[in-house]
Amino acid sequence: MPENSGAPDAAEGIRAGDVSGTMIVGSQNTVSNVRITAEYGATVTVHPGPLPDPVKRRRISQLPRSAAEPLIGRARDVHVLRQAIETRQLVQVWGAPGVGKSALLRLLAGTTEHGPEGAAYIEAGGRTADDIAQAIFDISFDAPNYKPSLEVLKEHLKTLRLRIYLDDAGLDEKDLRRLFDMAEQSTFVFTSQQRSAVDGVHAIRLEGLTAPAAAELVEALLSRALRPDETPIVGALCDAVAGNPLRLRRIALSAATGKGLPGIADLPELLPALLNRLRPQERDLLHLLGSLSGAELAARHLDDLLGRSDTDALAGGLVRHGLLLASETGYRCPPDVAECVLNTRRTVFPADRLCRTLTAWVEARDTTPDDVAAHFQALDVAVLRAEHNGHAQLGTALARAASPKLALSRQFDAWGSLLGVGWAAAKRAGDKQGEDFFLREARNRRKALGRAAQTTALALEAGVLWRELTALHAHSAAHQAVNAASATAPPITTPPVHPVTPTHGAVHTQAFTHPTAATSATSAPAHTALPVHGTRPVVDLSHSSAQSQVTAHVTTAHPAAPIPQRVDLSQAHPSVAHSTHAVSAPATATSTGHTALTAAGAAAGKGGISALALACTIGLAAVLGVGAMVYADDQPDSSPAAASSSVSTPDPSDDTYGDTYGDTYGDTSPTVDPVCATVIPDLSSELQQYSTDAAIASDAVDSYNTDMGAYNSGQTSTVPDDSTLLSEVGTVISDLNSVESTLRGAISQAQDGNVASDLGDMLTATQQLESLYQSYENDPSNSEVDPSSQALAMNSASDSLQTDCGE
C-alpha cells in the first residue's frame, strides 16, 4: 500500500520518527481531526473545515514483484483465467493450500492487461473488508492522511475502473459482496481456499500439476534431468500428493539431499526427515517463523531476531523447497512445518526477545505507519505470546509503541485488534496506566468513526467498550480457521487455552430493547389493528447466528494428551483438522474456532454496528483468552507440551501458554478437584448444542421479524406464523435444562468447596438465562430482554472455576 505520508497542511505533517500528525476522519455528517502522538495517543476533535477533496491518480498501479522462478505447468490455467478476467467482473481462484493460487495470482497481476484506470494487487489475508476498502482508496487517490467514512469511501471507490487482485481473501460472503459493491465498476480477481457462494462470481478451481509438469518442476529444482527410472516414481508421487506443488518441492529436496526420491510409503515421514537434514541456521529460522501462528516477518526482522545478516537468502532457499511461504512483505511458515519444528524443539521462540526486537523496530524513525500495518498480525501474536508467557509488560510496551503508527496507517480495524491484545496484556501485567491508555484509544477510535453517542454510554464500563475490539479478531481467526480446516497437511495437535471461557461466548448478554410490531405499524394505517401476534417484540438475537458453526469445534478434544488431559472448552486452535464445520456452512465464513469469542465470531459475520454492539456482550473472563484465536491458522504450539501436561498446572497467571511455551515442561501444582476433569467435557458438549440451537433460534427470529416488518408495513396481509420461532426457543430452553442438570450433578460430586461454589454460581446464571428464554416464550409482548447481569455472573463464576481447576 502506498505510504501516502503527506499531511492535511504543511504544519501538520506526519513524522514517522516521533509519531505525530493529524488525520481527517469523516463519518456521515461528522468530520474529525485525529491528532496522534507517541506519548498520549489519539485526540479527537471536530474538524473545522470541509472534507478533503481526493484526487484520483492518473495511472493507478500497484503490482507484485516479479517471480524469481517461472511458473511451471500453468499455461492452460493462465489462459483460462485471462479469458475469464476479460469477460467477467468477479473471478475467483480457489483450491487447496499449497496448490499455487498466490503464485498464479501474482503472475496474472503482473502480466495481464490492466483495467481502464490501472491495477491494484493487495494481500488481503487477515484484513477486514473495511481495511481492504481503505487500502484500495489509498492506492487510487491522492488524499494524504484522510480516512473517509464508509459512505464517502463508497462514493469514491464506485468511480474506479480497476483490476483489483486480492490474494488470500478470507471474507465471508456478505463482506465480499459489500466490498464488490463499493467498487462496482472494477474487476475483482481473488483467491481463497473455499469456493465463493457470492452471486456473479466466476469460480475456477486450481488443481494440482499434471505428471509431466510435476516432472518438469522436480527437474528444475534438481537442476538436472530425471533419470529414466526416476520419471515413473515422480509420476506416482505426483498422484499421491494430488500434484500439490508445495509437496512436490519437498520431494525434490529429498532427492537433492542425496537420499534419492522417496517412496509413497515414505511420504508421511518425509517432512521430519527433511528438517533433520537442514543446517542449524535454517532450523532456527523455521523455529522462529513456526512460533508465530501463521503471521509473517520481513527479512529485516529475521536478521535482528536471529542476529544474522543472511536470513533473506536462507528464507529464499526454504521457500524454493516448500518449507516456507513468501509474500510481498515477508515470510511465514506453513502449518505442517511449524508443527513439526515445534514438536522437535518442544518450545517456541522466546516471547521477550520477540517483543523487544519488534518494539525497537516499531520505534525506529524509518519505520512508517504502512510498514507497521503490513505486519499487524505478527505484532498481535507477539503481544499474545508475551501476555501468556510471563512477559505481559513487554507485550504491553510493544502494543503501546505500535498503536500510534498503526492508527496513522488508517487501517482502523487492524488498529482495533492491536488495542484489544494490548489491553489484555496490560490487564495481565497489572498495568493500570496501560489499561487506561488502550481503552482511551478504543474510545477515540469509536469517536473518530462516528460512534460518539454509543461511546458515551460504553465509556461507563471499560469492559463493555473492550468487547467491541474483540469482534475485530473474529475475521482474522475465521480466515485462518478456513485455511486450517482445508489444509492437506495432517492435523495439528495444539495445547488448550482458557478451558471454561465458552460460556462467555454462548451467553447472549446484550440488552435488547425491542420495538413492538404495533409501533412499527403506525406508518401503515391499514394494519393498525393487529392480532396478538402483531405485538411480538422484534428481538435481535441475530448476532448468535454464527455460533453453531463456531462452537462445533468445542468437542474436538486433543487426543494426544494423556489422562487426565487438560480440558479445552475454548478450542482456540482451529488448525485441528476437526474444524471442518468452519467451512462447511455458508454462514460460517467468518466464524472463529475460539468458542470464548463465539459472539465475536458472529459479530464479524454480521458486520457493521450490530456486529460491534454484539461484541460488547462477551464477559470479562473471555478477554484474557481473546488473543489466542487471532491467528489460529497453524497454531502449531508445541503439541508435545500438551501431551506432557497434566490436569495439575502452575499458577493461573502462568496459564496454558506459560505451561506450553515456557522454558520447562511438566510443571505441577497441587491436585485439583477430580470433578474438573469430568464436568468440563460434558459442559463443552452441552454448550456446543446450546450455541448451535441458539443460532438456529436466532435465524428463526430474524425470519419472523422480517415477515412481521412486511406485515406491519402493509407489504403482506398474512400474519406471520410464529410456531417455528417458538419451537426453536423451546429447544434452547431444553439445552439450558441439560446444562443445568450437568451443573447439579457436578456440584453433588465436587470435593473442593471453591469448585462447588463456582459451579453453583454458574448454575444460578444458567437458571436465570433459562428463565429469560421462558419469559419470551410465554409472553411474546415482553419488549425487553436484558441478560447482561446473568452473563456477568456466568463470566465471573467460570473465571473462578478456571482458576480453581488449575487452569
Side-chain angles (χ1 to χ4, degrees):
M1 186 169 63
E3 183 177 334
N4 284 345
S5 56
D9 57 57
E12 296 294 345
I14 291 179
R15 299 182 297 277
D18 56 9
V19 197
S20 64
T22 299
M23 283 185 298
I24 298 175
V25 181
S27 181
Q28 296 177 352
N29 297 322
T30 302
V31 185
S32 301
N33 279 340
V34 183
R35 173 75 179 178
I36 308 288
T37 62
E39 183 176 0
Y40 299 108
T43 303
V44 181
T45 57
V46 176
H47 180 63
L51 279 173
D53 185 17
V55 177
K56 188 183 297 183
R57 304 185 194 278
R58 284 192 174 183
R59 189 63 182 169
I60 300 167
S61 180
Q62 176 164 290
L63 301 177
R65 298 191 304 266
S66 298
E69 300 177 350
L71 202 57
I72 293 173
R74 295 302 188 191
R76 180 180 178 278
D77 298 307
V78 170
H79 175 70
V80 169
L81 279 163
R82 281 181 175 157
Q83 283 189 323
I85 293 170
E86 290 296 332
T87 58
R88 307 274 187 159
Q89 189 173 9
L90 305 175
V91 179
Q92 180 197 26
V93 182
W94 68 284
V99 79
K101 301 182 296 295
S102 296
L104 183 57
L105 189 73
R106 284 194 289 267
L107 175 67
L108 289 168
T111 61
T112 303
E113 184 180 351
H114 295 181
E117 293 180 327
Y121 172 86
I122 298 172
E123 291 182 329
R127 289 189 180 186
T128 64
D130 291 348
D131 278 358
I132 294 172
Q134 180 68 39
I136 296 171
F137 175 82
D138 290 338
I139 292 168
S140 306
F141 292 90
D142 186 10
N145 311 322
Y146 176 40
K147 181 176 180 60
S149 68
L150 289 178
E151 295 85 353
V152 176
L153 185 63
K154 182 176 181 179
E155 289 299 311
H156 289 295
L157 295 189
K158 74 179 183 181
T159 68
L160 297 174
R161 292 179 296 157
L162 300 175
R163 286 227 168 101
I164 300 172
Y165 298 86
L166 300 179
D167 190 21
D168 201 16
L171 303 174
D172 73 343
E173 309 305 332
K174 178 179 178 181
D175 282 342
L176 272 176
R177 171 52 63 192
R178 186 163 63 89
L179 183 62
F180 297 156
D181 287 346
M182 283 187 185
E184 58 188 19
Q185 295 191 75
S186 293
T187 297
F188 283 87
V189 187
F190 65 103
T191 67
S192 54
Q193 292 184 17
Q194 299 301 313
R195 179 169 184 163
S196 174
V198 173
D199 292 340
V201 169
H202 182 65
I204 299 175
R205 181 171 186 171
L206 186 62
E207 303 286 357
L209 298 179
T210 62
E216 184 181 352
L217 174 61
V218 172
E219 287 180 333
L221 293 169
L222 293 177
S223 299
R224 66 171 176 83
L226 291 174
R227 299 190 303 268
D229 63 310
E230 291 178 321
T231 301
I233 296 175
V234 170
L237 290 169
C238 178
D239 289 341
V241 299
N244 188 288
L246 192 71
R247 301 187 69 184
L248 287 168
R249 287 178 177 276
R250 297 172 186 175
I251 289 170
L253 175 59
S254 177
T257 57
K259 297 294 183 178
L261 290 169
I264 293 176
D266 299 323
L267 290 178
E269 298 302 322
L270 177 62
L271 185 55
L274 291 177
L275 297 181
N276 287 335
R277 298 172 203 163
L278 295 178
R279 293 174 292 169
Q281 59 266 38
E282 291 172 320
R283 288 198 293 269
D284 288 343
L285 177 56
L286 290 177
H287 177 239
L288 166 57
L289 289 172
S291 301
L292 295 181
S293 303
E296 67 177 34
L297 290 175
R300 169 180 175 174
H301 306 138
L302 301 176
D303 282 343
D304 292 343
L305 286 162
L306 296 176
R308 306 183 63 88
S309 59
D310 60 347
T311 54
D312 199 16
L314 287 176
L318 294 171
V319 170
R320 178 176 172 80
H321 292 295
L323 298 177
L324 281 182
L325 302 173
S327 74
E328 294 297 292
T329 54
Y331 301 94
R332 62 186 176 91
C333 195
D336 56 343
V337 176
E339 178 197 21
C340 192
V341 170
L342 296 182
N343 282 346
T344 301
R345 292 287 183 101
R346 297 181 60 81
T347 185
V348 294
F349 192 85
D352 55 341
R353 196 191 312 175
L354 187 62
C355 281
R356 289 190 177 98
T357 300
L358 290 178
T359 300
W361 168 72
V362 164
E363 292 177 339
R365 295 185 63 85
D366 62 343
T367 301
T368 68
D370 292 324
D371 292 336
V372 175
H375 295 285
F376 81 95
Q377 294 179 324
L379 297 174
D380 278 9
V381 170
V383 174
L384 292 165
R385 289 284 186 265
E387 177 205 343
H388 292 290
N389 213 20
H391 301 288
Q393 194 59 58
L394 290 176
T396 304
L398 172 58
R400 186 158 183 171
S403 174
K405 286 186 178 179
L406 196 50
L408 291 172
S409 75
R410 302 167 302 285
Q411 296 284 288
F412 266 33
D413 285 349
W415 180 32
S417 178
L418 182 76
L419 294 177
V421 294
W423 182 90
K427 184 79 171 177
R428 175 65 61 89
D431 182 354
K432 186 65 171 72
Q433 185 179 27
E435 288 183 60
D436 291 343
F437 173 84
F438 293 116
L439 289 170
R440 183 174 67 251
E441 292 301 271
R443 286 191 288 270
N444 285 332
R445 174 181 168 276
R446 289 182 60 87
K447 186 175 180 181
L449 290 172
R451 301 171 191 155
Q454 294 178 1
T455 300
T456 301
L458 291 174
L460 299 176
E461 184 183 347
V464 172
L465 179 59
W466 154 248
R467 301 307 178 275
E468 176 191 336
L469 303 180
T470 68
L472 299 174
H473 294 291
H475 166 75
S476 293
H479 168 64
Q480 306 296 358
V482 169
N483 290 350
S486 58
T488 58
I492 300 168
T493 303
T494 51
V497 179
H498 297 287
V500 295
T501 49
T503 51
H504 314 308
V507 177
H508 304 292
T509 58
Q510 185 175 357
F512 311 116
T513 302
H514 313 297
T516 64
T519 301
S520 62
T522 56
S523 59
H527 295 273
T528 54
L530 295 174
V532 67
H533 301 289
T535 60
R536 172 86 64 195
V538 180
V539 183
D540 181 13
L541 295 180
S542 61
H543 44 271
S544 66
S545 62
Q547 290 178 341
S548 60
Q549 293 77 20
V550 175
T551 55
H553 312 303
V554 175
T555 58
T556 57
H558 307 290
I563 298 175
Q565 75 174 39
R566 184 192 299 271
V567 182
D568 180 12
L569 286 189
S570 67
Q571 195 59 53
H573 307 285
S575 59
V576 178
H578 309 306
S579 60
T580 55
H581 209 59
V583 297
S584 62
T588 67
T590 57
S591 299
T592 162
H594 195 299
T595 310
L597 289 178
T598 299
K606 291 294 181 182
I609 295 298
S610 62
L612 297 179
L614 167 63
C616 301
T617 70
I618 303 169
L620 284 172
V623 170
L624 298 183
V626 59
M629 44 66 70
V630 181
Y631 305 110
D633 172 16
D634 30 319
Q635 283 295 19
D637 300 334
S638 189
S639 58
S644 63
S645 300
S646 70
V647 75
S648 299
T649 57
D651 184 88
S653 64
D654 215 12
D655 73 20
T656 303
Y657 272 82
D659 226 3
T660 305
Y661 302 133
D663 297 327
T664 61
Y665 289 80
D667 294 342
T668 60
S669 62
T671 302
V672 299
D673 193 323
V675 78
C676 294
T678 58
V679 67
I680 293 180
D682 290 340
L683 284 176
S684 169
S685 175
E686 290 166 357
L687 288 173
Q688 172 197 346
Q689 189 61 52
Y690 161 71
S691 292
T692 298
D693 291 335
I696 295 172
S698 166
D699 292 340
V701 170
D702 281 346
S703 178
Y704 180 85
N705 287 343
T706 299
D707 293 343
M708 182 57 73
Y711 175 72
N712 289 339
S713 65
Q715 297 177 24
T716 61
S717 59
T718 303
V719 177
D721 182 6
D722 64 359
S723 59
T724 299
L725 169 62
L726 295 179
S727 174
E728 301 300 349
V729 170
T731 300
V732 173
I733 294 171
S734 177
D735 294 340
L736 290 170
N737 273 325
S738 296
V739 174
E740 179 182 346
S741 177
T742 298
L743 288 169
R744 288 185 184 276
I747 292 170
S748 68
Q749 300 172 29
Q751 299 175 14
D752 184 287
N754 290 332
V755 170
S757 177
D758 299 335
L759 293 168
D761 291 342
M762 293 179 72
L763 174 62
T764 299
T766 300
Q767 291 171 328
Q768 292 174 347
L769 274 172
E770 183 181 349
S771 177
L772 287 174
Y773 274 100
Q774 289 173 335
S775 175
Y776 175 69
E777 181 185 42
N778 297 331
D779 182 12
S781 64
N782 183 18
S783 62
E784 183 171 345
V785 179
D786 183 5
S788 57
S789 60
Q790 290 78 16
L792 288 173
M794 179 74 83
N795 295 336
S796 177
S798 58
D799 193 27
S800 296
L801 182 63
Q802 170 180 303
T803 301
D804 293 334
C805 280
E807 298 291 347

